[in-house]
Amino acid sequence: MKLGLMASGNGTNVQAIIDAVSKQEISGQIACIVTDNPNAYVIERARKAGIPYLLAQPKAYNNRQTWEESIANYLHQQGVELVVLAGFMRIVGQPLLDAFPNRIINIHPALLPAFPGRDGIGDAYKAKVSQTGVTVHFVDEGIDTGEIIAQESLTIEEDWTLEDLENHIHAIEHELYPKVIEQLIQNH
Ligand code: GAR
C-alpha cells in the first residue's frame, strides 16, 4: 500500500510514520509528502528520509480547485492509495475527496465530535474538561466530521499545564496513528 502524507508544520506525526515504516511496523511504503507551507519542518524530514515531496502553496494557483487538482494529480502520479493527513491545517475539498473516495484519513488531537478545528488541544484545556484524547477518522466535506476509525482517551490531571497536555496528546498520536494505518492496510 502506497501512502501519501500531507502536513503543514513540524511533522512529528509524519516522523512517527516514517519510523514505523522503517521498523516494518507499517507494511506500506511512503510514496510522497505534500505540504502547503514552505517553512514547514516536515520538508527537512522528507529530505532526510529521501522521500519525494511537493510544496503546493494555494497562492501559487489560480484558485482552490486547481490547487487541489494539482495535489491530486501529484498523489496519483506517485501511485498513492491512501492519503494520510498528519497536521495538515487546511480544509480538504471536493477535488481531493473525489480523487480519493474514502481513502483520506486524518488525526485530530481531541475526542471528536468534541473540539474540532485548528486548536483541539488548547480548546479542550481552556474548557477544563477532565477527559480529552485523540481521534483518527475518515475525511469528508465537513471539518473533522468524517467516520471515526479509532479514538484513545486521556484524563487531564489537575496540575497539568497546557504544555503537559500537548506532550501527552502527541505521545498518544505517535503510537496510535501508525497502528491505525497498519490496521487499515491489513483490512484492505
Ligand atoms: C497534531 O497534533 C495533529 O493532531 C494536529 O496538528 C498537530 C500536528 O503536529 N492536527 C489538527 O489539529 C487537525 N485539525 P505535527 O506536525 O508535529 O505532526
Side-chain angles (χ1 to χ4, degrees), residues 9-14 86-87 89 106-109 117-118 144 170 173:
N10 187 347
T12 64
N13 279 285
V14 163
M89 300 312 263
N106 181 43
I107 190 157
H108 184 76
R118 295 186 71 87
D144 302 324
H170 291 313
E173 289 187 323

Side-chain angles (χ1 to χ4, degrees), residues 88-91 106-127 129 131-138 140-146 148 151:
F88 187 69
M89 300 312 263
R90 288 181 194 269
I91 293 165
N106 181 43
I107 190 157
H108 184 76
L111 286 183
L112 293 173
F115 308 115
R118 295 186 71 87
D119 190 15
I121 303 177
D123 291 344
Y125 189 79
K126 277 182 246 147
V129 290
Q131 292 274 314
T132 185
V134 174
T135 303
V136 179
H137 64 96
F138 286 106
D140 66 9
E141 59 288 337
I143 297 176
D144 302 324
T145 51
I148 291 172
Q151 286 187 309

Side-chain angles (χ1 to χ4, degrees), residues 13-32:
N13 279 285
V14 163
Q15 190 65 53
I17 295 164
I18 292 172
D19 294 346
V21 168
S22 60
K23 287 189 258 170
Q24 298 179 342
E25 290 165 9
I26 291 178
S27 52
Q29 296 158 259
I30 302 170
C32 59

